[in-house]
Amino acid sequence: MRNPRILILDPSDELRDQVSDVIHDLRPRPEAVTCDRVDLVCDVLADDGPFDVMVAGPGLGDQAGLARLRLIHDEVPAMATVLAFDHRPDAHLRDMVQAGAIDLLQLPVHDKEVAESLERALELARKFQVPAPVSVPASAVTTSSMGAPLRTPGRVFTVASATGGCGKTFMATNLAYFLARHSGKRVCVVDLDLQFGEVSTALRLKPRFTIYDALHRDEGEEGDLAEHIEEYLVAHETGIKVLAAPKDPTEADRISSPDVARIIQAVRQHYDYVVVDTPSALTEIVLAAFEGAERLFVMATLDLPSVRNLGVFLTTLEKLRVPTDNVRLILNKAESDVGIEISQVEKLFPQGFEAVLPYAKEVSRSINLGMPVLASSPNAEVSRNMVPVVSALLPEGHLARVVTPTPHRSPGFLTRLFHRPQPRTS
Ligand SMILES: Nc1ncnc2c1ncn2[C@@H]1O[C@H](COP(=O)(O)OP(=O)(O)OP(=O)(O)O)[C@@H](O)[C@H]1O
Ligand SMILES: [Mg+2]
């Protein structure tokens, strides 16, 4: 059995030295790793984890610190946290529990108390031992000249349409799920339908924060957007993350196209794939989402207004000199006997449709489950028709692994109640 491992997360030496001294007398003697910057903790967890216990220093006892610890706890739920503070934390007990704290140490503290606390935490962690590290692939992390980790920016895929209800959100959530499932990489959906975004609803998520909160962090908070963006994301049980649209549509007015560009850049620094959902419009916000996108999926449905507006949309892109060689068209909700044939529509668009997806009841079922249809009904025709489009985006090595899709196993009620989702291994 391996020796227990303790992560000491504290910018100052004092607590680190004390914990390092105390663990010399514990048996089996734990191995300690220190991290002095909270923004580097994900990399330490990925590179040196898993850890059984984390000792979080006094700088993390405030609301912002606890929000960060909660994120860490969501990623590594089996790691027990001991929270040290030098004056009473400005937070509710509930916040501390949600951040995974199982014990509190009021500083200065006797060595004996530290030892007892660590022993209790290690005992608890043993009961919930998870052998896997968090899923940040080390290969995706390079090092800047400052020594700080810097990821290769993620690839961006944007989904758009001229007419509402064509299936943009449906496509964006399924694409994100597929990429996460078959590449094992980190995927984030950004909901840029700022007024009426529905990504969270489609995945049955209850985001605490939105894109608006990320952009309007309290003034005076240290660090830039990229450093903090992960705190504003919500995780779906399949592993994909979501940056939700504002809760109040009026907040959308306070988000500009440069804001959107900043957001996408920030997310790209943490995620291998960024899928952007948009409203049905050609606003500056949407155009900002096209910039830097490696692929732009434009959706339409099999009815005259949608087909007509698809034509207008493509012509407008050309007029605006938006490069169209990365545009792929998708015809969705295709049905027979609706007075317009697929072949007629195909003649109008010489570039052709990358996929024709049927109208399918499995889609409504998947929305009611809060699951992408590729996860809930992988063998349905709609899923099978979507696979070639989305698998074309995977790196070549991963293509071979996409054989027969298997359903995502949703944890049962009791599992959901008592266990947080386990970290993915990459
Ligand atoms: N292939 C399909 N078969 C059946 N229902 C579908 C299909 N595609 C999408 N839908 C359903 O159609 C509705 C609209 O889809 P969705 O919300 O993805 O469109 P949208 O383009 O994002 O709409 P909006 O412009 O309002 O954002 C949803 O209820 C969705 O579940
Ligand atoms: Mg939508």
Side-chain angles (χ1 to χ4, degrees):
M1 209 176 77
R2 67 173 175 82
N3 275 10
R5 309 192 69 232
I6 297 181
L7 172 64
I8 310 168
L9 177 59
D10 188 30
S12 72
D13 302 335
E14 241 168 280
L15 181 67
R16 273 187 282 160
D17 292 347
Q18 188 176 16
V19 173
S20 304
D21 282 350
V22 163
I23 60 178
H24 276 285
D25 299 326
L26 301 184
R27 293 291 174 272
R29 189 200 289 182
E31 208 181 304
V33 171
T34 59
C35 174
D36 58 6
R37 279 179 49 188
V38 71
D39 55 313
L40 298 187
V41 71
C42 280
D43 301 296
V44 175
L45 287 165
D47 295 343
D48 303 320
F51 295 96
D52 304 279
V53 171
M54 173 167 68
V55 181
L60 292 152
D62 60 5
Q63 291 286 357
L66 288 171
R68 289 172 192 178
L69 291 181
R70 195 170 50 238
L71 284 171
I72 298 170
H73 181 57
D74 285 348
E75 284 285 327
V76 201
M79 182 172 70
T81 299
V82 173
L83 188 60
F85 59 93
D86 39 23
H87 25 253
R88 210 180 148 58
D90 170 29
H92 297 295
L93 187 59
R94 189 157 173 266
D95 297 326
M96 296 181 215
V97 172
Q98 284 182 347
I102 56 109
D103 201 3
L104 303 176
L105 291 176
Q106 163 98 58
L107 300 175
V109 59
H110 286 297
D111 287 355
K112 187 166 170 285
E113 235 182 289
V114 177
E116 282 170 3
S117 177
L118 289 178
E119 276 178 332
R120 257 198 317 271
L122 288 167
E123 179 57 35
L124 198 66
R126 248 193 304 277
K127 292 187 182 155
F128 291 98
Q129 213 162 46
V130 178
V134 289
S135 60
V136 185
S139 60
V141 180
T142 54
T143 305
S144 74
S145 54
M146 302 288 289
L150 205 66
R151 297 176 66 88
T152 313
R155 299 163 67 192
V156 181
F157 307 122
T158 298
V159 187
S161 78
T163 320
C166 288
K168 295 179 293 299
T169 304
F170 154 73
M171 177 72 191
T173 47
N174 276 281
L175 171 57
Y177 164 75
F178 186 90
L179 292 171
R181 170 92 165 79
H182 292 283
S183 71
K185 297 205 173 208
R186 287 161 64 84
V187 183
C188 179
V189 184
V190 176
D191 194 347
L192 279 193
D193 188 351
L194 298 176
Q195 281 190 310
F196 302 109
E198 287 196 321
V199 174
S200 335
T201 315
L203 295 173
R204 286 195 139 191
L205 296 170
K206 292 200 172 72
R208 280 170 63 88
F209 302 113
T210 71
I211 186 170
Y212 181 84
D213 303 312
L215 286 164
H216 297 89
R217 292 168 48 231
D218 290 346
E219 284 186 10
E221 273 190 67
E222 89 291 356
D224 64 6
L225 186 61
E227 210 177 295
H228 293 277
I229 193 75
E230 295 219 67
E231 295 165 24
Y232 296 90
L233 309 180
V234 56
H236 184 254
E237 65 180 90
T238 55
I240 59 180
K241 297 279 180 79
V242 171
L243 180 58
K247 290 182 180 140
D248 180 347
T250 59
E251 291 172 349
D253 291 345
R254 292 185 56 197
I255 299 177
S256 64
S257 54
D259 286 340
V260 164
R262 279 174 58 226
I263 284 282
I264 294 176
Q265 288 313 327
V267 177
R268 289 181 76 188
Q269 289 189 34
H270 296 268
Y271 288 82
D272 303 291
Y273 297 109
V274 183
V275 179
V276 185
D277 189 14
T278 63
S280 347
L282 262 179
T283 59
E284 294 212 346
I285 300 273
V286 176
L287 291 173
F290 294 173
E291 250 168 65
E294 187 180 317
R295 181 119 329 157
L296 173 58
F297 290 106
V298 185
M299 316 279 299
T301 47
L302 200 53
D303 54 272
L304 274 182
S306 182
V307 170
R308 185 189 161 276
N309 284 334
L310 173 61
V312 176
F313 188 96
L314 296 175
T315 320
T316 313
L317 287 189
E318 272 168 26
K319 280 192 200 150
L320 294 170
R321 298 194 193 289
V322 174
T324 48
D325 46 349
N326 64 349
V327 171
R328 298 290 181 276
L329 309 185
I330 306 229
L331 193 59
N332 188 25
K333 301 190 189 177
E335 286 182 291
S336 52
D337 282 340
V338 290
I340 174 168
E341 295 298 321
I342 296 169
S343 55
Q344 289 175 282
V345 178
E346 279 174 330
K347 277 193 205 126
L348 296 172
F349 299 95
Q351 61 271 64
F353 287 90
E354 179 114 317
V356 176
L357 308 176
Y359 189 94
K361 63 178 183 316
E362 287 90 346
V363 177
S364 315
R365 203 180 295 146
S366 81
I367 301 286
N368 293 335
L369 287 170
M371 271 288 168
V373 73
L374 283 171
S376 59
S377 305
N379 296 313
E381 189 189 351
V382 65
S383 303
R384 282 187 279 115
N385 288 10
M386 207 185 313
V387 166
V389 181
V390 289
S391 59
L393 304 174
L394 288 174
E396 259 173 42
H398 290 85
L399 264 177
R401 289 188 221 150
V402 184
V403 208
T404 320
T406 48
H408 170 85
R409 269 176 244 295
S410 186
F413 173 70
L414 282 175
T415 319
R416 279 183 203 229
L417 199 62
F418 291 109
H419 296 277
R420 315 294 295 265
Q422 300 299 324
R424 284 179 297 129
T425 49
S426 55

